[in-house]
Amino acid sequence: MIAKKERGKMERRLVASLTQACEQAKPLLPGFCWLTHEVDYQRFPESLVVTWVFDTHSNLANALKGDAKRSIAELTAEALAEAGLDIGDVSRHLDFDSEEACQREHGGDWQRRLRTKPTRH
């Protein structure tokens, strides 16, 4: 758990480092669009989840089959380390999704989708 006054600083560090990882990933991962993170600071860092979003389910499936999944884990681990976090096995903090699935299942409403998403990959 992080003290309330430290949460803002941690959030800014996370956003900056994950933004950098996102920009590094775009030219490397076909169909990768963006990423986001969710965290409950009452259960930090175990509650941290970084969701990587691809344009289509097909591009997402291809990324999860190949070396891209390892690259995603490495980029995420580097970003978290840069933000001052050592969380161990980064794969427990990763989730994946697609714009295509959000549009089909939630009408493109990402806030609702992330809030109600039942499982993590």
Side-chain angles (χ1 to χ4, degrees):
M1 188 168 99
I2 291 184
K4 190 172 184 174
K5 69 180 193 175
E6 293 297 318
R7 292 177 191 172
K9 291 178 186 177
M10 175 56 68
E11 187 66 20
R12 285 188 294 279
R13 288 193 310 259
L14 276 171
V15 168
S17 63
L18 289 170
T19 298
Q20 184 177 2
C22 179
E23 294 307 315
Q24 288 177 300
K26 285 180 181 177
L28 303 174
L29 304 171
F32 171 67
C33 298
W34 55 279
L35 61 78
T36 190
H37 73 284
E38 302 166 85
V39 64
D40 173 359
Y41 282 105
Q42 297 297 318
R43 299 181 313 107
F44 186 79
E46 55 275 350
S47 67
L48 176 65
V49 176
V50 180
T51 302
W52 290 71
V53 179
F54 287 76
D55 56 356
T56 64
H57 178 73
S58 176
N59 281 330
L60 170 58
N62 287 337
L64 294 179
K65 287 192 277 198
D67 289 337
K69 189 171 183 180
R70 185 176 62 238
S71 295
I72 289 168
E74 289 171 0
L75 285 167
T76 304
E78 289 169 10
L80 297 179
E82 186 176 307
L85 294 176
D86 178 18
I87 60 166
D89 182 9
V90 74
S91 66
R92 294 182 306 123
H93 298 272
L94 292 176
D95 195 22
F96 303 92
D97 211 334
S98 72
E99 290 280 0
E100 182 178 61
C102 181
Q103 188 62 43
R104 181 180 61 247
E105 297 165 17
H106 292 92
D109 184 344
W110 275 102
Q111 287 184 348
R112 186 171 61 127
R113 182 169 183 81
L114 292 171
R115 194 172 51 247
T116 61
K117 198 163 183 192
T119 59
R120 301 281 180 220
H121 294 83

